[in-house]
Amino acid sequence: MKVAVVGATGLVGSEILTVLAERNFPVTALIPVASERSKGKEIEFKGNKYKVVTPAEAIALHPDVALFSAGGETSTEYAPQFAEAGITVVDNSSAWRMDPTKKLVVPEVNGEVLSAADKIIANPNCSTIQMVVVLQPLHAKYKIKRVVVSTYQSVTGTGVKAVNQLMDERAGKDGEKAYPYQIDLNVIPHIDVFQDNGYTKEEMKMIKETNKIMGDDSIRVTATTVRIPVMGGHSEAVNIEFENDFDLAEVRQLLGEQEGVIVIDDPANLQYPMPKDAHGKDEVLVGRIRRDESQDKTLNLWVVADNLRKGAATNAVQIAELLLKKGLI
Ligand SMILES: NC(=O)c1ccc[n+]([C@@H]2O[C@H](COP(=O)([O-])OP(=O)(O)OC[C@H]3O[C@@H](n4cnc5c(N)ncnc54)[C@H](OP(=O)(O)O)[C@@H]3O)[C@@H](O)[C@H]2O)c1
């Protein structure tokens, strides 16, 4: 496979390169792509050095698949041009996620929707991916009525600039700001832009994308998304109301059997998932599994994952693996 990584110099792009190498994706030629600013810069992959090219140059090199993580504008402009040239695009931005003609895929949840007609495939929002992987087996068994989620999101979700802001603040240095406020020693209840309904775009992504991926608009979702000064991954407190009652032991068993999920739930021994444990891992970690005692048929969970891995790079590479397995690339 000739593989283009668009945004190869960014946080998600670098993680895509790591994941491609770790999972031994059959890369015969790598095409690292970034903006004019990075043109000619060298990127190392599996011991070899490759020169960064621009998106237009990459199309001319005709890769089999292109993994995009270069922001919405780049995806809106270039993904159709790649697709037009017969190159299958897996896109990490939010540009195509809610387009009814594009599939929004988490392989463990709805991988079966992929077909030969899909030339631009959308990778969901990081917070949504880690939540639906956990919701899926529970919905299949007990039918979800409503989900209330509050997130505790890592600065790595905003990109290189945000990581630099946190590090500068810790070092007492001035520098470029990714957030409107100090993030170190603070919590910012604001991710992406505010909408007319008072929610942020990130919150609306979690709501709409969950319905689309799970193929069920009857699931009601409400979200509060919050940025915290953490590096390892995103955490979520998830409250789920079901149609049918559940057994806690069975819930643990179902989650334990779910592909891509690890249950860490032993409060007596202080075992629960934390972002520092999720960092660098492909799996979604779940713990603090308990009944919501204020309401029938309702469950509380704590869900943690590395937003740059399963929340972005790993999921995109898994989509490419699935396309390959199905003979679609
Ligand atoms: N971080 C996450 O957890 C996460 C999760 C899911 C999805 N995403 C999405 O992934 C994308 C990238 O996020 P990130 O955190 O990796 O950001 P980042 O660290 O700021 O990296 C951005 C990348 O995009 C490239 N780029 C910017 N403008 C470009 C252009 N006009 N043409 C070609 N390349 C261009 C940059 O190249 P230069 O180095 O040349 O500027 C860089 O490689 C965003 O769409 C984001 O929404 C991020």
Side-chain angles (χ1 to χ4, degrees), residues 7 9-12 34-35 37-38 69-71 74 92 156-157 159-160 307-308 312:
T9 54
L11 279 187
V12 176
S35 73
R37 292 180 292 276
S38 308
S69 63
T74 308
N92 264 297
T156 57
V160 173
N307 51 298
L308 294 180

Side-chain angles (χ1 to χ4, degrees), residues 130-176:
Q130 67 183 72
M131 184 169 79
V132 294
V133 169
V134 166
L135 294 184
Q136 170 69 15
L138 303 177
H139 185 52
K141 183 77 187 178
Y142 311 114
K143 192 155 177 22
I144 296 174
K145 280 171 73 175
R146 180 167 185 256
V147 177
V148 182
V149 56
S150 302
T151 70
Y152 305 69
Q153 297 184 218
S154 159
V155 292
T156 57
T158 317
V160 173
K161 205 167 137 188
V163 174
N164 292 341
Q165 178 179 339
L166 176 61
M167 289 307 150
D168 285 345
E169 286 171 359
R170 292 223 157 152
K173 286 197 300 192
D174 260 349
E176 241 194 324

